[in-house]
Amino acid sequence: QVQLVESGGGSVQAGGSLRLSCAASLSAYNTECMAWFRQTPGKEREGVATIHSAGMTNYANSVKGRSTISRDNTKNTLYLQINSLKSEDTAMYYCATGPLTPWLCSRSRQTDFHYWGQGTQVTVSS
């Protein structure tokens, strides 16, 4: 069954904002660490931001200062708000989760994450 479902992607002009959502149908154990990754064709998938159930967040330098990762544990949903979008933010965005310690969560190492969504496309035009 589908356990992580992303939404909120789309086409937006540079300078605009988007809010991505990821609905999880997983236990609290398996969503201790929730993260956003992104990938463009021909490039490695990269970590964007992570959030641990204990509250710690971590951001890639490329989005730091203009994005906010958050989670609503009552809805088992992860969010990513990105402002001041740039053309280089164009990518497929993936939600991922896993039962990780805060330290492992902050490392954004793909192989540590057990569950992945199917992705939502973000396209930024200049």
Side-chain angles (χ1 to χ4, degrees):
Q1 72 261 26
V2 180
Q3 294 164 315
L4 293 173
V5 180
E6 300 97 333
S7 61
S11 296
V12 63
Q13 288 198 327
S17 300
L18 274 179
R19 189 193 195 205
L20 306 181
S21 300
C22 173
S25 54
L26 292 163
S27 66
Y29 172 76
N30 284 310
T31 55
E32 269 192 327
C33 176
M34 302 186 82
W36 289 100
F37 290 81
R38 67 185 182 186
Q39 188 172 25
T40 54
K43 290 189 176 181
E44 297 268 331
R45 189 158 50 186
E46 63 172 355
V48 177
T50 65
I51 184 167
H52 194 268
S53 58
M56 288 77 86
T57 59
N58 186 68
Y59 297 91
N61 288 333
S62 57
V63 300
K64 195 174 292 183
R66 59 188 183 92
S67 66
T68 303
I69 188 171
S70 60
R71 57 192 291 169
D72 184 336
N73 293 327
T74 64
K75 296 180 181 179
N76 221 10
T77 301
L78 175 71
Y79 303 99
L80 181 69
Q81 174 80 31
I82 311 179
N83 302 318
S84 302
L85 281 159
K86 308 174 183 179
S87 57
E88 49 263 45
D89 292 319
T90 294
M92 184 72 80
Y93 284 73
Y94 297 92
C95 168
T97 72
L100 308 179
T101 64
W103 180 74
L104 279 176
C105 187
S106 69
R107 292 191 63 185
S108 264
R109 193 170 58 182
Q110 297 180 50
T111 52
D112 289 333
F113 289 84
H114 295 189
Y115 299 94
W116 291 83
Q118 82 290 348
T120 186
Q121 178 68 37
V122 172
T123 302
V124 183
S125 57
S126 54

